[in-house]
Amino acid sequence: MFSDNVKNLMQFIPEGYEDLKKVGEEMDSNFERSHRIYSSNSLDVDRSMDAFEVNSRAFENLDLDLQDKIEASLDTYGLILNGGGGKGAYQIGAIKALAEISDLKFGAVAGTSVGALNAALFAAGSYEKAYDIWTQIDPEDVLTPKEMTDSQLDQINQAQGSIDPRFSEEQIKDFIISEILGKHTKFSRNGLKKIIRDSNISSNLGMDKLLCSITCFDCKDYRPKNFLLNKLTPEDIEDGLLASSCMPFVYDPVRFMDGDYYDGGYPFFGNNLPLSPLYNIGFRNFIVIHLASRNECKKDINMIRLNRKNLKESFYNGAKYIHIFPSWDLGDLFDGTLNFHREYASELIKWGYDEVKIQTPKIKEDIKKTGFDGYNDQFSEMHCLDGQYFKSYDDLLDSL
């Protein structure tokens, strides 16, 4: 069974989110059944999460074909874009500012969720298209209501006569729709699918473009999985982007390649900051654009360490990361993650651009930086933030 700490976390999962509880139970079973890294029957949180990460990374190594392994030059960077729904517009402005740094050369990009969509647009060389998409977006484009089936409509009509007439017509409709559709998600992917098709991203990601990796969450194996879009067909690229951005409990899972997938940043067990794919194919220099502010990371530091642990020395020896955090919170679930209003997006694009332009002098210094006191590139990572340097992501988090 899960350790007491993880049990405590699971008790805060609200009613109606049985899928998430099932993930926890399945992962606990997987530790015992498949990995057996530790012989103890009672795994503490740190050891169990380490076990999960070791095996996740082993799986990830298999996802990128060895023939794709490259020898990245020392001055070539990988761009890492995490997820965050509507807050992703911030990345578009930040990317534009980074593109204006003459000393900075990108060779690949990796993203999760909305970061995967932005990554594909960046890899295809479509900044203008990305800008147009974000500044013309409407909530209905992403949160497209599903049309009810004839069967569901029949059930609603038949049920209306059985409801207490003292309820208002609106209350009756809300109750019936909730009862009939309650076990199903309410939104389709048709709006986003149209955006992807109209943008022509899927046809512009050949091997002659920047390498682009996306992360999705495998519903069957309950683990994050990476895919190199450049090797996929346009149809599979479209499905992959839909899968990586498929928020659980909002959308039904997406059928993609060999299974059903959710958002790569799936709560608790997803990978919202996909560093390993580009590291595994030879990159050692990275710029990471976060969508959580320093303040948010500081508040969630224990959860980050428990659930993420993406930047561990044992996995990323010799890697250098330049981190970009929004200076202020970009919004909570409703006014940030699920906020797809074009006015909000335009504001975030400008915000991301202005903030990175201000940070550009320090970013240029970080690009030239090759080490610091106590740093050994064979056994350490180097994390750069505002002219400060850290040997691990944990040290960086402690400084926030």
Side-chain angles (χ1 to χ4, degrees), residues 4 43 53 73 91 100 151 160 169 172-173 188 202 212 214 219-220 296-297 302 371 393 397:
D4 290 340
L43 300 178
E53 288 190 318
S73 62
Q91 293 173 339
E100 295 173 1
S151 174
Q160 282 183 342
E169 182 178 351
I172 292 174
K173 286 183 178 179
S188 79
S202 302
C212 181
I214 65 168
C219 295
K220 180 180 179 181
E296 289 175 304
C297 289
N302 291 329
Y393 191 48
L397 289 173

Side-chain angles (χ1 to χ4, degrees), residues 45-286:
V45 173
D46 285 338
R47 295 177 73 195
S48 62
M49 288 306 296
D50 285 345
F52 170 72
E53 288 190 318
V54 167
N55 284 276
S56 288
R57 297 182 193 287
F59 285 130
E60 287 176 337
N61 284 331
L62 299 177
D63 294 334
L64 296 176
D65 197 307
L66 289 178
Q67 71 182 17
D68 296 320
K69 186 172 179 64
I70 64 171
E71 295 297 330
S73 62
L74 293 178
D75 61 347
T76 301
Y77 276 74
L79 179 63
I80 310 297
L81 305 174
N82 70 353
K87 294 184 282 189
Y90 178 92
Q91 293 173 339
I92 299 301
I95 288 171
K96 185 178 189 298
L98 290 173
E100 295 173 1
I101 300 177
S102 59
D103 298 335
L104 185 58
K105 178 183 177 183
F106 288 109
V109 58
T112 293
S113 192
V114 72
L117 297 168
N118 287 337
L121 287 163
F122 177 64
S126 303
Y127 173 80
E128 292 77 10
K129 179 62 69 175
Y131 180 86
D132 289 344
I133 288 173
W134 278 104
T135 56
Q136 296 174 21
I137 200 167
D138 287 312
E140 294 76 14
D141 293 333
V142 180
L143 300 172
T144 309
K146 282 184 177 179
E147 293 184 6
M148 286 183 286
T149 65
D150 290 340
S151 174
Q152 290 168 336
L153 289 172
D154 287 342
Q155 292 179 61
I156 290 175
N157 291 330
Q158 293 171 12
Q160 282 183 342
S162 63
I163 304 297
D164 191 320
R166 289 173 295 179
F167 287 108
S168 69
E169 182 178 351
E170 195 64 31
Q171 287 175 316
I172 292 174
K173 286 183 178 179
D174 287 346
F175 174 78
I176 294 174
I177 291 175
S178 175
E179 287 298 302
I180 293 176
L181 302 181
K183 295 183 179 180
H184 305 278
T185 57
K186 308 299 192 300
F187 301 102
S188 79
R189 311 310 307 281
N190 292 337
L192 185 57
K193 185 181 295 185
K194 184 177 186 302
I195 289 176
I196 293 173
R197 289 180 178 176
D198 290 348
S199 70
N200 207 29
I201 309 172
S202 302
S203 301
N204 286 299
L205 278 177
M207 291 302 291
D208 59 325
K209 302 291 185 179
L210 288 183
L211 294 180
C212 181
S213 171
I214 65 168
T215 301
C216 308
F217 189 85
D218 191 320
C219 295
K220 180 180 179 181
D221 294 336
Y222 296 109
R223 65 177 179 87
K225 189 174 182 180
N226 304 309
F227 298 89
L228 190 63
L229 291 188
N230 308 70
K231 296 184 64 178
L232 304 183
T233 65
E235 293 77 15
D236 286 338
I237 289 174
E238 177 183 303
D239 290 340
L241 293 175
L242 291 172
S244 185
S245 59
C246 183
M247 290 181 282
F249 322 122
V250 176
Y251 306 111
D252 295 326
V254 173
R255 188 70 183 175
F256 168 53
M257 300 292 284
D258 57 348
D260 294 322
Y261 291 87
Y262 270 127
D263 192 309
Y266 199 101
F268 290 96
F269 299 107
N271 184 356
N272 201 37
L273 198 61
L275 299 163
S276 57
L278 302 189
Y279 183 91
N280 289 341
I281 59 175
F283 284 85
R284 293 297 179 267
N285 297 312
F286 305 93

Side-chain angles (χ1 to χ4, degrees), residues 141 188 244 325 359 362 373:
D141 293 333
S188 79
S244 185
F325 289 91
Q359 297 176 45
K362 290 182 179 178
D373 290 343

